[in-house]
Amino acid sequence: MSVNREEFEKAFDGLDKGIRGLIKTASHANEMIVLDELQEFANSVGSQVKNIQDYVNQLEKELKKYKQKPQIKQTVVRTYTSTMNTTGNLEKKLNQGYHVVMANHIGTNNSIEYILEKEVIQDE
């Protein structure tokens, strides 16, 4: 069941208006006990409404994250038999979450070119 944000806010606004109306009516009745109880009730409901609204905002934020489509990020790392570029760069990329999708021998000196990729979610 989907919840329309506007209807949700309208329902809470109506609840708030109703509580304020009760307090106004009770203040005219000159019954301090009833007024105190209604004010206590209104404060309690108000804090609960705020908690619910905070929770809904958090859920909307999480939902937005899950609706984002991940992007594929690719990079190339080459390793050589000389000391110029050993497997250190490859290890670094693998530790960053990349995985190898293809590897090819290049040249005649046992050099290897690795195609790496990982999924990333772009912030809007």
Side-chain angles (χ1 to χ4, degrees), residues 22-40:
L22 282 173
I23 291 172
K24 188 175 181 180
T25 302
S27 67
H28 294 299
N30 286 331
E31 293 185 19
M32 295 307 287
I33 294 172
V34 173
L35 180 60
D36 289 342
E37 287 178 4
L38 282 174
Q39 284 178 331
E40 193 174 310

Side-chain angles (χ1 to χ4, degrees), residues 58-113:
Q58 179 185 354
L59 289 175
E60 285 179 336
K61 186 177 176 181
E62 291 295 319
L63 182 61
K64 183 179 176 182
K65 239 194 313 188
Y66 286 112
K67 284 184 175 181
Q68 291 176 335
K69 292 184 180 178
Q71 303 292 319
I72 303 297
K73 186 173 180 181
Q74 289 189 334
T75 189
V76 175
V77 174
R78 292 182 177 154
T79 58
Y80 302 96
T81 54
S82 69
T83 59
M84 190 168 108
N85 188 4
T86 59
T87 59
N89 289 340
L90 177 61
E91 285 183 46
K92 180 179 173 185
K93 292 294 183 182
L94 292 173
N95 288 335
Q96 292 173 354
Y98 284 90
H99 62 275
V100 177
V101 292
M102 187 168 58
N104 297 310
H105 284 280
I106 54 173
T108 56
N109 57 358
N110 292 329
S111 299
I112 302 175
E113 176 182 75

